[in-house]
Amino acid sequence: MDFKKEIERRRTFGIISHPDAGKTTLTEKLLLFGGAIQEAGAVKSNKIKKGATSDFMEIERQRGISVATSVLAFIYKDKKINILDTPGHKDFAEDTFRTLTAVDSVIVVIDVAKGVEEQTEKLVEVCRMRNIPMIVFINKLDREGKDAFDLLDEVEQKLGLQVTPLSFPIGMGYDFQGIYNIYEKNINLFKGESKKRIADTISFDDLSNPELEKLIGDKAAAQLREHLELVEGVYPSFDRESYLDGSQQPVFFGSALNNFGVRELLDCFVDIAPAPRPKKAEERIVKAEESKMSGFVFKIHANMDPKHRDRLAFVKIVSGTFERNKPYLHVRLGKQLKFSSPNAFFAEKKAVIDESFPGDIVGLHDTGNFKIGDTLTEGEALHYRGIPSFSPEHFRYINNADPMKAKQLAKGIDQLMDEGVAQLFILELNGRKVIGTVGALQYEVIQYRLEHEYGAKCTYEPFPVHKACWVDPEDPQGDEFQEFLRVKQKFLARDKQGQLVFLADSAFSLQMVRQKYPSVHLHFTSEFN
Ligand code: G4P
């Protein structure tokens, strides 16, 4: 197969949702359709169960599983599908944000009863900012939930999306009979009381046909006609270009658990979802079809075995063909590197591969060369952007608890931060290290891993910070900025990239700084120009 065709057949995407909406179940059903697994239950949930905050075995188990399910690949209708797994637990939200830099589209799963939840809002906002094409899957239609139109309104309002339903439920919960597929113009009905089985798909392009009454009953037929008329009147019709540029989001309804509406979703997905998209590097926009290989690291995973401290760096191929044993330029280090055993992922297995194409994810064994965001090329000094840091929610001083192991501690902190486990800030005033995390759970993960992988011990001390703000002065030499630096010295730190950060101790002090130094812009993310 030629290079262009290989690119065209790739679909690399992520599934995002609030925990419990059904992401794992949907992933599993997609794999079943793709023939990548044989039975339900094969994909383990990668979420940390509630109440497991101090259960280290659970954390370790999570790490193990998340390597296995980091990338799930399968072939469906001759398309190579790569699903990039995103952690469900909110304490690992940064991992999810980073994974979103490597996807070409996403599927958003929403629970029909719960509607739009907090985590979904945050993740969708990141996708919206990047104009990532999104398809919405409203799940658990076998249960009583919100009215379909109310839910569509909620999705539009809370998530700021412009939806267009491509399927519509016939009843819901107890009365749920099936789905009308607007995209394919056919009906899928549940069979039997158990609502577990699916009858054949019935083509139905003329809804005025009285056969509809026979199929679903008078009341449901009248209601479906009314609903679809309303859909047609209220929502714009599907436009692929608008979907691809992120300005329109198709919606499907179904039940992942009962495998209902999933095939419709997948069939439409392979049809409309984008092949690998051009990616913006600092220097220029890089197209997938370019012959020279380029890619970037979006995730690093430490080895489970503490005796072998190698790590697996996940590289998304952006352009060209990645080849085994070919030297590539590690742009940040200015160093040529060769990889003798790059891994590709297939369902739950990994295997050494000879070549990979744009859209694919390659796992490279690393002994400490890689950081998240690093770029590999065939010589050009490209820097892929788009892996910003967000202000953490929690901040603590980290102290060395074993003076004999200061070096190990420094190395451990350094490497864990490269992996993106948390963010390190070094105070300008005294050089003390502050660790910022999204969730409190990370502090335990860090302490545990420092001890078990690096032989170092640490303690934490509270450090009250409201928000970390990246500092962006209009005039770095100006008096206003110089005064800000002097007066706020105690609250200034450098992040791992050396960028200046203001650690505001309260919302009030943040507001005061903004009023007093209007030319010193403060951003909640490290990427602002
Ligand atoms: P997540 O990855 O988004 O966190 O969600 P997951 O798939 O683990 O699903 C969360 C719960 O919702 C699971 O139940 C799952 O069985 C259920 N679920 C998923 N899809 C549907 C659906 O279409 N209908 C209904 N009724 N339930 C659905 P659980 O009891 O938490 O876990 P389990 O014991 O079933 O594994």
Side-chain angles (χ1 to χ4, degrees), residues 200-487:
D200 291 340
T201 302
I202 305 152
S203 274
F204 222 97
D205 51 6
D206 176 14
L207 281 165
S208 61
N209 188 335
E211 278 296 306
L212 190 63
E213 271 77 3
K214 285 193 201 145
L215 276 173
I216 59 177
D218 292 355
K219 200 171 144 218
Q223 201 181 43
L224 178 64
R225 285 194 189 103
E226 192 189 314
H227 284 165
L228 292 176
E229 221 167 90
L230 207 55
V231 165
E232 213 177 298
V234 174
Y235 299 100
S237 49
F238 172 65
D239 174 54
R240 182 157 187 241
E241 283 313 307
S242 306
Y243 157 66
L244 291 179
D245 69 22
S247 59
Q248 188 189 71
Q249 290 77 23
V251 179
F252 283 85
F253 291 84
S255 163
L257 187 65
N258 297 300
N259 215 351
F260 205 87
V262 178
R263 187 194 57 77
E264 288 81 353
L265 173 72
L266 183 59
D267 281 352
C268 177
F269 174 81
V270 292
D271 218 17
I272 68 170
R277 309 202 301 165
K279 176 109 187 147
K280 212 166 155 182
E282 253 165 56
E283 295 74 13
R284 64 186 183 86
I285 291 176
V286 180
K287 294 206 186 100
E289 306 79 45
E290 293 183 20
S291 60
K292 295 244 158 65
M293 197 300 291
S294 69
F296 66 95
V297 177
F298 67 94
K299 174 178 179 139
I300 292 178
H301 216 293
N303 198 313
M304 292 273 294
D305 181 351
K307 285 189 242 42
H308 301 103
R309 212 177 295 136
D310 73 330
R311 313 185 288 177
L312 202 59
F314 291 77
V315 175
K316 160 97 186 270
I317 310 299
V318 176
S319 64
T321 307
F322 177 94
E323 290 172 54
R324 187 157 81 96
N325 280 327
K326 185 168 168 174
Y328 290 114
L329 175 68
H330 184 307
V331 176
R332 181 176 54 87
L333 299 180
K335 193 155 110 173
Q336 296 280 337
L337 297 176
K338 266 203 282 194
F339 305 94
S340 59
S341 55
N343 281 292
F345 302 86
F346 205 82
E348 292 179 285
K349 295 186 272 297
K350 27 186 195 95
V352 172
I353 37 108
D354 290 324
E355 52 178 25
S356 269
F357 299 99
D360 283 340
I361 309 300
V362 183
L364 302 176
H365 289 282
D366 171 42
T367 45
N369 282 316
F370 286 120
K371 261 201 223 193
I372 283 179
D374 279 346
T375 306
L376 285 179
T377 70
E378 285 191 35
E380 189 178 350
L382 289 174
H383 297 83
Y384 283 113
R385 304 193 49 172
I387 307 186
S389 303
F390 295 87
S391 174
E393 305 281 326
H394 305 264
F395 297 83
R396 290 183 195 170
Y397 283 119
I398 184 164
N399 298 321
N400 186 5
D402 182 351
M404 305 300 288
K405 299 281 170 64
K407 252 195 185 156
Q408 285 86 334
L409 183 74
K411 184 169 180 196
I413 293 176
D414 201 47
Q415 293 206 348
L416 293 183
M417 299 305 130
D418 284 352
E419 263 180 48
V421 175
Q423 290 180 55
L424 177 69
F425 300 97
I426 299 182
L427 293 182
E428 289 274 88
L429 193 64
N430 53 19
R432 283 191 76 180
K433 289 179 176 169
V434 173
I435 304 273
T437 66
V438 178
L441 183 56
Q442 264 103 336
Y443 290 108
E444 297 181 41
V445 174
I446 292 167
Q447 199 168 37
Y448 179 84
R449 291 188 57 189
L450 283 173
E451 190 168 341
H452 288 81
E453 292 170 34
Y454 298 90
K457 283 202 170 76
C458 74
T459 56
Y460 299 111
E461 230 178 281
F463 184 58
V465 175
H466 165 65
K467 279 263 187 246
C469 311
W470 278 264
V471 180
D472 173 24
E474 275 172 27
D475 179 7
Q477 307 309 326
D479 290 348
E480 191 170 301
F481 183 54
Q482 294 306 320
E483 188 190 317
F484 165 80
L485 290 180
R486 207 170 44 249
V487 175

Side-chain angles (χ1 to χ4, degrees), residues 17 19-25 47 139-140 142-143 255-257:
S17 70
D20 277 345
K23 184 169 72 71
T24 313
T25 314
K47 65 190 167 194
N139 189 28
K140 307 196 185 181
D142 56 314
R143 286 196 187 160
S255 163
L257 187 65

